Amino acid sequence: MLKYRSIISSIHLIVMLFIGLSLFMLPSVALCTPVIIYDRDGDIYKANIDGSGETQLTSGTPEDSMAAISPDGMRLALSVLRDDNWDVWVYDVEREVATRLTFHDGYDADQFWSHDGQYLFFASDRDGDTRPYKKRADGSGEAELLSDGELDFFPLSVSPDGKWAIGESQAANMDITVINLETMSEPENFLASEFMDRDPSFSPDGRWVAYS
């Protein structure tokens, strides 16, 4: 069983930015450059850490959201809603080019990067239930199913050693669950309380889990 200590935190390694009277949750902070990435009204923006210098990165009909910055800071992984279908895309910040990563009907979204930037993990209901998958970030190869348990599982973070994925499962409440990526185990309860427990994320050293 996963042996990690957890702390109650509403921070979850995110930044909150007030623009006018609206609150926007910034899903990622670029650790290698002093910028923040966020979505607003279906488009992706970047700005300096103090909120200045806002630049719009995407525009158009599709809804772009849940931006996740690659470890090298050069790519964004996006959840894109187009023709009533969610898919994962990768946006090259320098070239300003977006590449579609998933092509199945249904929900492919909630993506995040592996620590080496080679893979993207995401949730998909392509086979009916919501399951965790991973696929190479360059688009090569097929998506790999990581667990086929009875509970719907939305992966949200991977431990630094790559052995564990932690995420959310819908039970009586929203609970935090983990899967062993080496054995492809069914989701196991990490935290199941009377409250809604959400948004878990491993700390960089793997010793802690922050959640809201």
Side-chain angles (χ1 to χ4, degrees), residues 105-181:
D105 292 335
Y107 186 84
D108 293 322
D110 296 312
Q111 70 291 330
F112 63 94
W113 295 88
S114 62
H115 292 281
D116 60 8
Q118 297 298 308
Y119 289 89
L120 279 164
F121 295 83
F122 60 95
S124 176
D125 64 0
R126 62 186 61 188
D127 295 321
D129 298 315
T130 304
R131 299 288 183 259
Y133 288 79
K134 74 173 183 179
K135 186 174 181 179
R136 293 194 64 87
D138 62 7
S140 62
E142 297 296 326
E144 179 184 348
L145 177 65
L146 301 177
S147 177
D148 193 21
E150 296 182 1
L151 290 174
D152 285 355
F153 180 80
F154 294 82
L156 295 173
S157 180
V158 170
S159 60
D161 60 12
K163 294 181 179 180
W164 298 91
I166 194 166
E168 302 171 351
S169 291
Q170 180 72 59
N173 292 313
M174 190 67 77
D175 296 326
I176 295 176
T177 49
V178 296
I179 58 173
N180 186 318
L181 295 176

Side-chain angles (χ1 to χ4, degrees), residues 190-205:
F190 179 80
L191 179 65
S193 71
E194 60 184 300
F195 305 104
M196 297 282 284
D197 302 312
R198 308 201 61 179
D199 304 317
S201 180
F202 283 105
S203 63
D205 63 5

Side-chain angles (χ1 to χ4, degrees), residues 35-124:
V35 298
I36 49 180
I37 303 294
Y38 52 97
D39 61 85
R40 185 177 70 225
D41 299 329
D43 292 313
I44 305 299
Y45 294 78
K46 73 173 181 178
N48 297 323
I49 200 70
D50 62 1
S52 65
E54 181 182 79
T55 301
Q56 186 171 348
L57 299 179
T58 66
S59 62
T61 303
E63 178 180 340
D64 306 319
S65 64
M66 294 180 275
I69 303 174
S70 63
D72 63 7
M74 300 303 295
R75 294 166 294 169
L76 301 177
L78 308 175
S79 295
V80 176
L81 177 62
R82 177 176 290 177
D83 298 326
D84 295 322
N85 193 74
W86 284 101
D87 280 296
V88 178
W89 290 63
V90 176
Y91 177 81
D92 187 303
V93 176
E94 185 175 12
R95 296 169 54 221
E96 299 183 352
V97 174
T99 303
R100 187 173 177 178
L101 196 72
T102 62
F103 296 87
H104 287 78
D105 292 335
Y107 186 84
D108 293 322
D110 296 312
Q111 70 291 330
F112 63 94
W113 295 88
S114 62
H115 292 281
D116 60 8
Q118 297 298 308
Y119 289 89
L120 279 164
F121 295 83
F122 60 95
S124 176

